[in-house]
Amino acid sequence: MAEMSRRKLLAGGGALGAMGVFGFPTPAFSRDVSPWTWSPTASIAGSGSGADPRQIWDAEADPVSAELLDSGAVPEVNRLLWNWTRNDQPLPAGLPGYLHDFIEKARQLPSWADRTKLETAAQFNKSRGLYLNLLNGVGGGMLSTAIPKEAWSVYYSKGGADMEDRVAKTSLLGFSVGSLNAYRPDGDCIVQAVKTRLVHAAVRHLLQQSPHWKWGVPISQEDILVTWHTLPTYAMRKMREWQVPINAADSQAYLHVWQVTAHMLGVRDEYIPATWAAANAQSDQVLPPNMGPTREGVELTDILLGQLAEQTSPASISRPLVNALARYLVGDQVADWDQIRREPIWEPLVARAWPLLVKFREKLIPLPLVPEVAWVLDEAARQYILLFLTKAKETKIEIPTTNRPE
């Protein structure tokens, strides 16, 4: 039965290449039963139980969100937390005691957090913001819709019914990680991470009640790691591929800010990679078996690319250009799974123009060598970032109380 479903999904995903998004063999996504072999000695903790993260969730946050939902307290909690926006801000009065205690503990940075590295990461995010926002926003978004369990959990949870709002709320955390004051007292990355952790716990509780959800408890530790690798690991690999000059200090700092963020999202330290080599090895283990095509992922992809196309001018070329850019960022296999249309005119133009634009930005080539289409791509990326920065400022992360309406 599982293999039959696999064949149907593959048939619906278009022509698949022999190699995956990072050069992996075509995956057998799903309820993968291969043993967990990534060693905790490669983690930030340096040791651990080695337990399979597919069977571990969030023992601290899960009972908190479940109690909030079962007691009907979520609407009032969302109201009280609406103006809790700064890392150093005291919690509002009136929260249930068990929630107050959880947040006070969850908002503490790990003992291994390095303030110097966090400051270096902030400067790196500023200097490489265009690449990182494009990779994390468009590239990471296309990868996430090709992760069946993530596509299903997004689609069938409350956020799936309003993807523009859902993307804006997802962008909140991403933009917070990349901001100059991310983990400073006046920043908000701690706030966004803690709220996201509570949302994950609520979705675990709610989604199992949906008639559409048939895959056990959602958002395991492995599921969070899979998503994590579509962000910093993927972004660093692509920047290396584009030959963006990155020194060792910046590279380590960029990894560190995401290590801290993983911890703040409730990932156990024994699963957080200590080095880029460890991150790449873990990514190679967890991404391939968890990727593949779904109807829900295709629909979500179309919505996401439609939002991006709206920001591109002129309108007559917007969607073909966006399709070509997305295919360039994630490769043919993922693009085919997401059913992103092939664009025979735009694809070779994007593939030629983007690397030249990167080289010009890094002062490696003179302006005359940059084709005009590169500036169309540059403006599209800027407008996309501006759109979601604006929307992120207008919204707040809230704990859901329902699944996607029928």
Side-chain angles (χ1 to χ4, degrees):
M1 180 67 71
E3 181 57 30
M4 183 180 297
S5 298
R6 170 67 178 159
R7 287 198 298 269
K8 288 180 179 178
L9 285 167
L10 287 174
L16 304 181
M19 302 302 287
V21 62
F22 298 136
F24 303 140
T26 299
F29 95 80
S30 72
R31 285 65 73 186
D32 180 51
V33 294
S34 60
W36 172 256
T37 59
W38 191 81
S39 172
T41 60
S43 72
I44 196 75
S47 63
S49 66
D52 191 334
R54 289 168 291 194
Q55 300 302 317
I56 298 175
W57 292 270
D58 192 332
E60 294 178 322
D62 289 349
V64 171
S65 286
E67 178 63 24
L68 291 173
L69 287 163
D70 293 343
S71 66
V74 170
E76 176 63 8
V77 164
N78 281 334
R79 186 187 71 80
L80 290 170
L81 290 177
W82 183 260
N83 291 317
W84 182 57
T85 57
R86 283 175 49 125
N87 293 335
D88 63 352
Q89 187 178 346
L91 288 172
L95 293 175
Y98 61 90
L99 174 62
H100 182 281
D101 292 345
F102 166 77
I103 294 178
E104 287 295 359
K105 181 180 179 182
R107 71 191 297 185
Q108 302 304 312
L109 292 180
S111 60
W112 44 264
D114 185 320
R115 286 287 181 185
T116 300
K117 287 184 178 179
L118 292 175
E119 289 298 318
T120 301
Q123 294 302 322
F124 176 72
N125 277 303
K126 179 182 179 181
S127 66
R128 299 294 192 272
L130 182 71
Y131 311 143
L132 293 172
N133 285 316
L134 185 67
L135 288 167
N136 289 335
V138 183
M142 297 303 96
L143 292 176
S144 69
T145 55
I147 297 168
K149 285 186 287 184
E150 182 162 355
W152 286 323
S153 64
V154 168
Y155 190 89
Y156 292 115
S157 61
K158 182 181 178 181
D162 184 348
M163 278 304 295
E164 187 165 327
D165 181 69
R166 172 68 164 77
V167 172
K169 289 178 178 177
T170 300
S171 300
L172 270 173
L173 180 61
F175 284 128
S176 292
V177 175
S179 66
L180 280 171
N181 60 350
Y183 284 105
R184 294 176 189 167
D186 63 332
D188 69 350
C189 203
I190 292 173
V191 171
Q192 308 301 355
V194 171
K195 287 184 176 181
T196 299
R197 190 174 172 186
L198 287 167
V199 169
H200 285 169
V203 170
R204 288 188 197 99
H205 187 70
L206 290 168
L207 207 50
Q208 295 178 80
Q209 303 168 29
S210 168
H212 303 287
W213 185 262
K214 308 180 189 303
W215 301 279
V217 183
I219 317 181
S220 68
Q221 292 269 296
E222 187 200 51
D223 293 329
I224 299 175
L225 290 169
V226 168
T227 300
W228 191 87
H229 286 297
T230 67
L231 297 166
T233 312
Y234 161 73
M236 182 56 72
R237 279 175 147 162
K238 293 302 289 186
M239 286 189 294
R240 295 294 192 193
E241 178 186 314
W242 294 342
Q243 299 179 347
V244 176
I246 303 172
N247 63 43
D250 284 346
S251 174
Q252 292 169 14
Y254 181 63
L255 175 61
H256 188 70
V257 73
W258 280 100
Q259 290 169 329
V260 172
T261 302
H263 175 96
M264 301 305 290
L265 289 171
V267 177
R268 294 186 182 183
D269 288 356
E270 69 173 280
Y271 300 124
I272 301 174
T275 64
W276 281 118
N280 290 333
Q282 188 185 83
S283 176
D284 291 351
Q285 178 172 351
V286 301
L287 269 180
N290 281 290
M291 298 190 74
T294 62
R295 177 189 64 80
E296 294 83 355
V298 169
E299 186 173 330
L300 294 173
T301 296
D302 186 60
I303 294 170
L304 291 169
L305 292 182
Q307 291 176 356
L308 177 57
E310 290 174 4
Q311 309 310 307
T312 309
S313 181
S316 61
I317 63 170
S318 59
R319 186 56 187 263
L321 170 61
V322 165
N323 289 341
L325 178 60
R327 293 191 72 93
Y328 174 73
L329 291 174
V330 299
D332 285 341
Q333 185 177 76
V334 169
D336 286 343
W337 280 336
D338 285 337
Q339 292 189 13
I340 302 171
R341 284 186 55 181
R342 290 185 177 271
E343 303 291 349
I345 295 176
W346 277 105
E347 285 179 44
L349 292 175
V350 171
R352 175 175 175 268
W354 184 260
L356 293 175
L357 179 62
V358 170
K359 285 182 170 59
F360 170 72
R361 287 191 164 279
E362 299 303 323
K363 299 180 173 57
L364 300 176
I365 61 171
L367 179 61
L369 294 180
V370 182
E372 185 174 348
V373 68
W375 302 109
V376 178
L377 294 172
D378 183 80
E379 182 61 18
R382 287 182 177 279
Q383 289 301 319
Y384 167 83
I385 294 165
L386 179 62
L387 168 71
F388 288 107
L389 271 173
T390 302
K391 288 187 177 296
K393 292 176 181 177
E394 296 172 349
T395 190
K396 302 284 181 69
I397 295 174
E398 295 180 278
I399 303 170
T401 57
T402 62
N403 292 313
R404 181 189 180 106
E406 292 295 323

